[in-house]
Amino acid sequence: MGQERLPMRKLREILRLRYTMGLGRNEIAVSVRCGRTTAGYYLKLAQEAGIGSWGDVEAFSEGELEELLGIKVPLRGVKPAIGVRAPDWTWVHGELKKSGVTLMLLWQEYLRDNPEGYRYSRFCEHYSRYRSKLNVVMRQEHKAGEKSFVDYCDGIPFLDPVTGNLVSTQLFVGVLGASSYTYAEASLSQDLPSWLSSHVRMYEFFNGVSEITVPDNLRSGVKRACYYDPEINPSYRDLAEHYGTCIIPARVRKPRDKAKVEAAVLVAQRWILAVLRNQTFTSLAELNIGIWECLKRLNERQMRHIGKSRKTLWESLERPVLKALPQTPYRFAEWKKARVNIDYHIELDDHYYSCPYTLIHAPVEARSTDTTVEIFQRGIRIASHRRSYQKGKFTTEATHRPKNHSVKLEWTPERITRWATSLAPELGQLIQQMFQTKVHPEQNYRSALGTIRLAKHYPQDRVKHAARRALDLKAPTYSCLKKILESGADLVPLPEGSVVECSTTGQVKNRPEPLGKNNLRGGGYYH
């Protein structure tokens, strides 16, 4: 079998973790969820290509990076020779408990006495098999500044003073691995904005960022929970990159991976939720003030088995080695996959944003904040717009339009009109007038194609009459044609001397012709 081929997003994440955080091959493999050999292979390619920093990686697009690395599929390592002397795995297991001893060091010592012995990967594989047979639960030891763990539990409801109803909350809990320094806050839900905002406030509370952040397989943080390859939400990865941390989700059905935070949740339930259970709060802000008062006492309370408080351990162990906070806090952004339409726009929350017309039909990704929308194609930003919340409207950059529609675009107003005319001449007239209602015809492409698609669901005679009636109404729009066909107004003949109108309810009605001047009473009538 060949080497695993990684998507470019994972490859860039491997290089980011190496060049911005200095992580080793094993840690990178765990975070990205690929084999250690695979991670090492791509790191070697980057080294051979002369890449020495994350700035070098950011300078290239995904296509250029693939070409630079010359990605090929290598063969896996060959089988070891038969009859190789295996090390004493009991001795290896005992040595690993000593401070500073690693499998790499033990393998090098083993190889000095056995030059033809196992290669490092096979050495680790055999040791892993030995360890899996041991019925021993090892106590996890956490290095200072290495990991923070995050999770949710049910919170305390507060009373809505307007409705008189109880509003349920969720309690977010974060804890540092070495000091057990704990952060907690209540939120209304476990949705993505709440999840990321709680992380931002947690890092600020810790006054720094750990190397690794370990969440549970919560939907907000992990799009697809999988034992071998959980997919991290793109917005969560954005946050990780902004703070320079590494996301390693707890494995599915592996409670030991998150034992630290589960213990912290239990402590929070006892020292925060239980203390506040009989108090009444009338807002989320008021509830969080109560939580933080209890949290302060919890972190300053001396732990019996250590003889020091969580805050003392945080100040002496964790705070000096945590990564510094960035100058600005993370700003929430959502990612969405899209495909550029024939009008060279993509849709985001019922608003349309333009892309260069050369990317029609191309898949892209949109990154949106509350103020901006950025559009990326293969990792390169191709467009940036101010965020708009006007539904059905267009935000179009003039440089994205072709100078000559009839020459450069696959779809033109003329082509769409001819298509509509082939279904019914009246429909062609309707589409033609539809294009005349906008300064830029591409803004009506979607409506025109929707009108043609709608017409295909009805007999040709009905489409003719409905289109003619929409023209008489001087309303050449998709919505008007749809109302006429759905209400069956095209089947009702118009009485002679009547005018058609379209009501706000979508029903097409007749109203009498206004009286002419001959029917009006003159001034002499009243004398």
Side-chain angles (χ1 to χ4, degrees):
M1 295 178 64
Q3 178 65 53
E4 176 186 2
R5 182 67 177 268
L6 295 181
M8 282 303 298
R9 182 181 290 275
K10 283 194 172 184
L11 173 56
R12 292 178 74 89
E13 182 69 2
I14 287 176
L15 299 179
R16 183 184 77 84
L17 295 177
R18 165 52 66 88
Y19 293 119
T20 65
M21 301 181 61
L23 297 186
R25 182 184 67 170
N26 293 353
E27 294 170 302
I28 293 174
V30 174
S31 177
V32 180
R33 296 296 180 180
C34 68
R36 290 173 295 182
T37 304
T38 299
Y41 167 65
Y42 285 109
L43 291 173
K44 182 180 178 182
L45 287 182
Q47 183 179 6
E48 293 174 349
I51 295 176
S53 68
W54 176 240
D56 295 339
V57 178
E58 289 186 311
F60 297 104
S61 66
E62 293 183 359
E64 291 171 339
L65 191 59
E66 285 181 345
E67 184 177 352
L68 177 67
L69 297 182
I71 295 177
K72 300 178 181 179
V73 180
L75 296 174
R76 293 191 183 274
V78 296
K79 295 181 179 179
I82 300 175
V84 173
R85 188 180 73 86
D88 182 351
W89 298 117
T90 303
W91 175 80
V92 170
H93 186 70
E95 289 294 300
L96 283 173
K97 295 181 180 181
K98 299 179 180 179
S99 176
V101 178
T102 65
L103 274 175
M104 174 62 76
L105 175 63
L106 296 177
W107 171 71
Q108 291 172 343
E109 293 176 353
Y110 159 76
L111 208 60
R112 283 200 300 266
D113 298 331
N114 301 273
E116 302 299 325
Y118 294 130
R119 299 301 93 187
Y120 181 63
S121 59
R122 184 55 60 90
F123 182 89
C124 295
E125 180 183 349
H126 279 288
Y127 172 70
S128 179
R129 290 178 180 175
Y130 167 83
R131 189 179 58 182
S132 65
K133 296 177 182 179
L134 298 177
N135 188 22
V136 178
V137 177
M138 297 293 296
R139 178 185 177 88
Q140 294 189 27
E141 297 293 339
H142 301 288
K143 297 178 182 178
E146 180 186 38
K147 292 181 180 180
S148 55
F149 300 83
V150 290
D151 203 356
Y152 274 115
C153 71
D154 291 335
I156 296 176
F158 65 87
L159 182 65
D160 188 333
V162 177
T163 64
N165 297 327
L166 288 176
V167 180
S168 61
T169 66
Q170 299 293 314
L171 186 70
F172 174 90
V173 179
V175 59
L176 287 169
S179 63
S180 295
Y181 195 56
T182 304
Y183 174 74
E185 70 170 33
S187 59
L188 294 177
S189 70
Q190 298 184 15
D191 61 5
L192 184 59
S194 300
W195 171 252
L196 298 183
S197 298
S198 294
H199 276 71
V200 171
R201 287 186 286 272
M202 177 189 72
Y203 293 139
E204 291 174 350
F205 181 81
F206 291 159
N207 198 23
V209 184
S210 60
E211 292 280 344
I212 299 169
T213 302
V214 183
D216 195 3
N217 282 276
L218 179 71
R219 182 70 178 179
S220 297
V222 182
K223 289 179 62 178
R224 181 173 60 87
C226 174
Y227 181 91
Y228 298 102
D229 188 14
E231 183 179 352
I232 304 301
N233 186 293
S235 298
Y236 199 17
R237 282 205 179 278
D238 261 1
L239 177 137
E241 186 170 345
H242 184 83
Y243 284 100
T245 187
C246 171
I247 305 297
I248 302 182
R251 294 170 295 173
V252 179
R253 295 185 296 276
K254 289 292 181 179
R256 295 178 198 169
D257 286 6
K258 54 177 181 175
K260 192 77 177 182
V261 73
E262 288 192 342
V265 167
L266 183 61
V267 170
Q269 289 172 335
R270 291 174 177 174
W271 291 90
I272 298 177
L273 300 184
V275 173
L276 301 176
R277 71 188 187 284
N278 294 324
Q279 296 186 34
T280 301
F281 302 94
T282 57
S283 68
L284 185 65
E286 185 182 347
L287 173 59
N288 273 323
I289 291 175
I291 289 174
W292 294 331
E293 289 175 354
C294 293
L295 185 65
K296 183 176 183 294
R297 291 193 293 269
L298 169 63
N299 283 320
E300 293 177 351
R301 172 180 170 271
Q302 181 173 304
M303 294 182 285
R304 286 180 299 176
H305 60 289
I306 296 179
K308 296 181 180 180
S309 69
R310 291 171 173 82
K311 184 176 181 180
T312 301
L313 291 176
W314 166 69
E315 290 175 339
S316 60
L317 295 178
E318 304 264 32
R319 187 174 181 178
V321 295
L322 287 173
K323 292 187 174 184
L325 292 169
Q327 292 183 351
T328 57
Y330 170 75
R331 196 168 193 172
F332 173 66
E334 288 188 283
W335 286 84
K336 177 184 177 182
K337 292 183 179 180
R339 189 173 293 273
V340 183
N341 203 288
I342 63 170
D343 58 3
Y344 47 88
H345 287 70
I346 65 166
E347 181 271 329
L348 182 67
D349 293 336
D350 295 327
H351 190 88
Y352 303 101
Y353 300 90
S354 67
C355 303
Y357 74 91
T358 53
L359 294 177
I360 287 175
H361 303 310
V364 295
E365 287 185 301
R367 181 182 184 271
S368 59
T369 68
D370 57 342
T371 57
T372 60
V373 172
E374 297 174 290
I375 304 172
F376 295 84
Q377 209 253 341
R378 290 181 62 83
I380 300 175
R381 191 176 74 171
I382 57 173
S384 179
H385 301 280
R386 185 182 296 276
R387 181 73 179 268
S388 175
Y389 295 94
Q390 291 182 304
K391 295 186 180 297
K393 301 297 183 179
F394 287 76
T395 297
T396 307
E397 174 65 41
T399 58
H400 293 165
R401 294 191 179 99
K403 295 180 180 179
N404 188 331
H405 280 265
S406 61
V407 174
K408 295 190 175 182
L409 283 184
E410 175 186 358
W411 286 92
T412 63
E414 292 78 13
R415 178 180 176 183
I416 297 174
T417 302
R418 287 196 302 270
W419 184 14
T421 303
S422 68
L423 300 176
E426 292 80 1
L427 187 64
Q429 295 177 35
L430 182 74
I431 297 295
Q432 188 176 23
Q433 290 192 21
M434 183 183 294
F435 282 124
Q436 294 172 359
T437 62
K438 295 288 179 68
V439 176
H440 302 292
E442 71 271 5
Q443 294 183 350
N444 262 330
Y445 278 12
R446 294 172 188 260
S447 298
L449 293 179
T451 301
I452 293 173
R453 189 176 297 112
L454 175 67
K456 287 185 174 183
H457 290 84
Y458 293 91
Q460 187 178 32
D461 289 342
R462 289 197 61 188
V463 173
K464 288 182 179 179
H465 292 110
R468 173 51 56 193
R469 188 160 292 194
L471 290 169
D472 291 341
L473 285 166
K474 296 183 180 180
T477 63
Y478 166 82
S479 57
C480 185
L481 185 69
K482 182 180 180 182
K483 290 173 183 178
I484 292 172
L485 289 170
E486 289 181 346
S487 66
D490 57 291
L491 301 175
V492 181
L494 292 176
E496 189 174 349
S498 64
V499 178
V500 182
E501 66 178 3
C502 191
S503 70
T504 56
T505 60
Q507 298 297 320
V508 180
K509 300 178 180 180
N510 299 329
R511 60 179 171 86
E513 184 73 25
L515 296 175
K517 290 183 179 180
N518 294 333
N519 302 99
L520 297 177
R521 296 169 180 173
Y525 175 83
Y526 297 97
H527 295 289

